[in-house]
Amino acid sequence: MLKIQRSANSRVVFTLSGRIEAEDVNGLGQLLALEKAGQHVVLDLRDVTLVNQDALKFLAGCDAENCPAYIREWIAQVKGRSKRRRTR
């Protein structure tokens, strides 16, 4: 189960907690799309406990903060695979 909290000041922060599953990616993308163009939006992943492959691909394209080290490493691996595919 994924819990999302939104807060805003000079930037919008979505604090995520729980599991990010494939079915959560579309909803999260829709939430981000509702923000004003040019608004700095950040995902706080400090309390995320599990991420599946589809969610990792999505997160690799986002501005994420407070990632647990293992999630940061997984995102880096996804980004590395994407770069290798583009350079071939």
Side-chain angles (χ1 to χ4, degrees):
M1 184 170 139
L2 178 65
K3 180 179 176 184
I4 303 171
Q5 289 185 291
R6 182 189 181 278
S7 60
N9 202 349
S10 60
R11 63 187 185 166
V12 174
V13 177
F14 286 96
T15 302
L16 308 179
S17 59
R19 299 172 170 217
I20 306 176
E21 305 282 352
E23 57 271 9
D24 299 317
V25 172
N26 286 338
L28 188 54
Q30 289 172 355
L31 278 177
L32 297 176
L34 292 174
E35 297 300 326
K36 287 190 283 185
Q39 177 69 49
H40 186 180
V41 178
V42 175
L43 299 178
D44 182 338
L45 305 176
R46 174 184 15 210
D47 296 324
V48 171
T49 56
L50 181 71
V51 181
N52 82 351
Q53 191 66 32
D54 292 326
L56 280 174
K57 290 176 187 174
F58 175 79
L59 293 174
C62 295
D63 186 8
E65 289 185 356
N66 297 324
C67 288
Y70 68 95
I71 293 176
R72 198 172 30 253
E73 176 64 27
W74 291 344
I75 291 171
Q77 289 174 7
V78 168
K79 286 182 177 181
R81 282 191 296 252
S82 296
K83 285 181 183 176
R84 283 194 302 271
R85 286 183 188 137
R86 280 185 260 152
T87 58
R88 289 183 183 174

